[in-house]
Amino acid sequence: VDLHIDLVGRHGLADQIYHALRAAILDGRLRAGEALPPTRELARRLQVSRNTVSVAYDRLVGEGFLVTRIGAGTYISDHFGAAASPARQATTQELLPHPRWNVPYPRWNAVGHAPAGGVRYNFRVGLPDLALFPFETWRRLVAHELRLSAVRTAAYGDPSGHSGLRAAIARHVSVSRAVKADADAVTVTAGAQQAIDLIARVLLGPGDCAAVEEPGYPPVRLLLQSLGARVCPVPVDSQGIVVEAIPRDARLIYVSPAHQFPLGMPMSLGRRMELLQWAAAQDAAIIEDDYDSEFRFGGRPIETLYGLDTRGRVLYVGTFSKTMLPAIRLGFLIAPKSLQPAVRVAKYAADWFSPLATQAALARFIDEGLLARHIRKMRAEYERRHDRVRHVLAAQGGWLQPIESGAGLHLTALLTDGQELSLADVLERTDDSGVVVSPLAAFYANQPAQSGLVLGYGAIQLAKIDDGLRLLRSVLTAPVRHDR
Ligand SMILES: Cc1ncc(COP(=O)(O)O)c(C=O)c1O
């Protein structure tokens, strides 16, 4: 071959020759089987030492780009035959994802989207108050687990989770939610999202129907779709999911009974019993997402589906994203005995295990009573904010009518005077206002039945709620400007 190689200066010459040859092989200028000039000849042409060329050749041989045939010289390796062939080039195109991944990044909770005007009043849904988190204590616990002497947390861990944390979770849910389960039933996961992912992997095959609430929690719809399930949105009424409307072939039903996401009402006891009976009769499983029920403001908590279930149909899912921080990225699932081995294998296949130092620190946070204390403090604070939002909306004359709800970190309110706000309307009108809020329309899989807003109060200070809602009302009720 008569390959042209440009050399610059007198430094790193072997490196330059190596890169020039490598690039020529990769882009097909040099083809499989072609002979390279002997080192002596190339050295003379390039006016470098023979050793310099040998160094470049040896490196390319070592990496498999070139082969030497004893007594016959150095050749381009056969690996590069296909890359250079015209047939292969003709079919080469951009890599594309499977069509079920042809979805835009969801904007409903605006994570990763900074409004043009910056965030002054944050009514984003699902965020706890970071400012009130005991970071100093948490840092101490995590640092303790990261000491060299804490070697037990430094190797590969059990996919089901850190044994101390599993036991602590079992105790925690037995006290806070009257969920009776032993530590063996608990799997520690990367948030509720992974708990639901593991359950779906264990129970669903491609094309199986997974029923979800409509409106509902978009990340779970997306997850189920991505696994190849047929996602079947089922309407909710004031008592919860309409059991009669669940497709008969649903294998899995995902619900949020304590605090329907996003509408906020609890599922009635009657509806819970109906759902459990339906699942038993149809041989289906139920995922109970209990994501924020630790924050209940008065009223008797309704027993969990898990607690009411006598036939092993319910998988209970919890998260520390609301009681602690989303960034800790820990949640859990409690599965019936029949599913525990498969769940363990699924977690192993997904990511083997969750970070051990964080798990161990959380176990101590729970065991020392710090989680319970933090929840008590936050419950009182969130209740004040919940009441304030309701009070201000009422004082504003009811342009937004809150749906009755006594729990959690958000409140959903419906537009009353026939006004309609699409996802795009809300995002566009609030974008440069400094108010961040989620339109209810964002939580529907199909056409929204009702128009409203989901107001998170986890991340907004009590003192800012009045001004935030005043501004929100003025931006959303102002006449549409057509000069934009
Ligand atoms: C309905 C619902 N489930 C679960 C979660 C928590 O998910 P994760 O534990 O994956 O952070 C949220 C958070 O917003 C939620 O709204």
Side-chain angles (χ1 to χ4, degrees):
V1 276
D2 188 19
L3 183 74
H4 179 83
I5 297 179
D6 273 331
L7 295 178
V8 183
R10 299 301 301 168
H11 293 291
L13 293 173
D15 225 31
Q16 294 187 44
I17 296 167
Y18 161 82
H19 283 292
L21 289 173
R22 185 176 181 277
I25 296 168
L26 286 174
D27 67 19
R29 279 175 291 150
L30 291 176
R31 306 280 179 85
E34 276 184 275
L36 283 184
T39 48
R40 184 180 291 115
E41 185 193 319
L42 187 58
R44 188 174 39 76
R45 268 169 36 197
L46 298 176
Q47 298 187 344
V48 299
S49 77
R50 189 175 166 199
N51 189 44
T52 300
V53 177
S54 296
V55 168
Y57 278 23
D58 286 350
R59 189 168 163 197
L60 290 162
V61 169
E63 292 174 0
F65 288 95
L66 302 179
V67 286
T68 48
R69 296 188 194 136
I70 294 165
T74 306
Y75 296 83
I76 313 298
S77 136
D78 285 344
H79 303 313
F80 299 94
S85 79
R88 168 71 181 262
Q89 273 172 359
T91 58
T92 298
Q93 48 178 283
E94 252 184 307
L95 280 173
L96 293 174
H98 188 279
R100 62 176 179 255
W101 287 100
N102 287 340
V103 285
Y105 184 80
R107 278 193 70 192
W108 66 276
N109 65 357
V111 168
H113 168 73
V119 182
R120 276 192 297 150
Y121 301 102
N122 196 351
F123 292 104
R124 198 169 273 177
V125 63
L127 292 182
D129 195 330
L130 308 186
L132 297 178
F133 184 75
F135 276 104
E136 209 38 67
T137 306
W138 180 246
R139 217 181 343 259
R140 179 174 56 75
L141 292 175
V142 174
H144 181 84
E145 297 304 331
L146 289 174
R147 286 173 323 162
L148 259 188
S149 56
V151 281
R152 66 198 152 83
T153 60
Y156 283 89
D158 185 330
S160 299
H162 177 278
S163 58
L165 180 57
R166 295 169 76 197
I169 289 172
R171 274 196 306 279
H172 170 67
V173 293
S174 76
V175 174
S176 69
R177 301 291 291 135
V179 165
K180 303 264 174 299
D182 48 49
D184 290 345
V186 177
T187 303
V188 179
T189 59
Q193 188 74 7
Q194 190 186 42
I196 297 160
D197 181 60
L198 300 182
I199 297 168
R201 281 169 195 270
V202 162
L203 290 173
L204 294 180
D208 281 351
C209 168
V212 296
E213 296 170 316
E214 170 80 329
Y217 184 51
V220 167
R221 284 201 300 263
L222 183 59
L223 166 64
L224 294 168
Q225 263 158 26
S226 77
L227 293 175
R230 190 159 35 92
V231 179
C232 309
V234 175
V236 296
D237 64 17
S238 61
Q239 297 194 57
I241 194 164
V242 177
V243 175
E244 290 164 2
I246 301 175
R248 293 185 79 78
D249 63 346
R251 300 281 307 122
L252 188 61
I253 305 143
Y254 165 80
V255 287
S256 47
H259 188 223
Q260 202 277 333
F261 190 90
L263 298 179
M265 68 288 170
M267 191 185 294
S268 69
L269 185 59
R271 199 57 69 79
R272 285 172 198 239
M273 299 314 296
E274 198 187 335
L275 179 60
L276 287 169
Q277 273 158 15
W278 191 96
Q282 304 299 325
D283 192 23
I286 300 169
I287 298 179
E288 174 171 32
D289 184 356
D290 210 23
Y291 62 105
D292 68 358
S293 60
E294 291 89 346
F295 303 119
R296 167 156 292 282
F297 320 130
R300 234 182 88 232
I302 301 176
E303 212 181 327
T304 57
L305 278 173
Y306 184 88
L308 292 168
D309 176 26
T310 53
R311 290 181 257 207
R313 294 277 133 199
V314 179
L315 292 106
Y316 179 89
V317 169
T319 179
F320 296 98
S321 291
K322 317 291 151 177
T323 49
M324 301 272 290
L325 303 170
I328 286 177
R329 212 69 214 113
L330 286 179
F332 59 94
L333 76 91
I334 298 180
K337 212 175 180 63
S338 57
L339 294 177
Q340 287 164 16
V343 167
R344 184 161 183 259
V345 176
K347 171 70 179 170
Y348 171 69
D351 65 353
W352 202 326
F353 63 97
S354 293
L356 284 174
T358 321
Q359 290 194 63
L362 182 55
R364 292 198 51 199
F365 196 78
I366 298 173
D367 287 343
E368 292 178 13
L370 300 168
L371 179 65
R373 185 196 303 171
H374 183 57
I375 290 174
R376 271 197 305 280
K377 177 173 95 175
M378 298 313 293
R379 187 188 294 130
E381 178 60 29
Y382 293 143
E383 182 171 9
R384 284 191 284 276
R385 298 181 191 182
H386 172 98
D387 292 350
R388 192 71 211 162
V389 172
R390 289 183 57 97
H391 175 84
V392 176
L393 291 182
Q396 284 182 342
W399 69 289
L400 271 179
Q401 194 62 45
I403 295 175
E404 224 27 74
S405 151
L409 301 181
H410 73 268
L411 201 138
T412 293
L414 303 177
L415 281 159
T416 45
D417 53 4
Q419 203 188 341
E420 296 215 349
L421 283 174
S422 69
L423 179 64
D425 286 339
V426 174
L427 294 177
E428 190 186 323
R429 281 165 170 255
T430 53
D431 199 38
D432 51 7
S433 71
V435 185
V436 178
V437 69
S438 303
L440 180 56
F443 302 91
Y444 282 85
N446 299 317
Q447 279 304 306
Q450 32 195 7
S451 199
L453 298 176
V454 184
L455 295 159
Y457 43 77
I460 186 162
Q461 288 163 5
L462 185 64
K464 291 176 86 175
I465 288 176
D466 290 44
D467 287 348
L469 289 177
R470 194 173 309 126
L471 183 56
L472 183 64
R473 184 186 184 198
S474 72
V475 236
L476 292 185
T477 56
V480 182
R481 282 168 43 194
H482 294 289
D483 56 339
R484 290 184 168 225

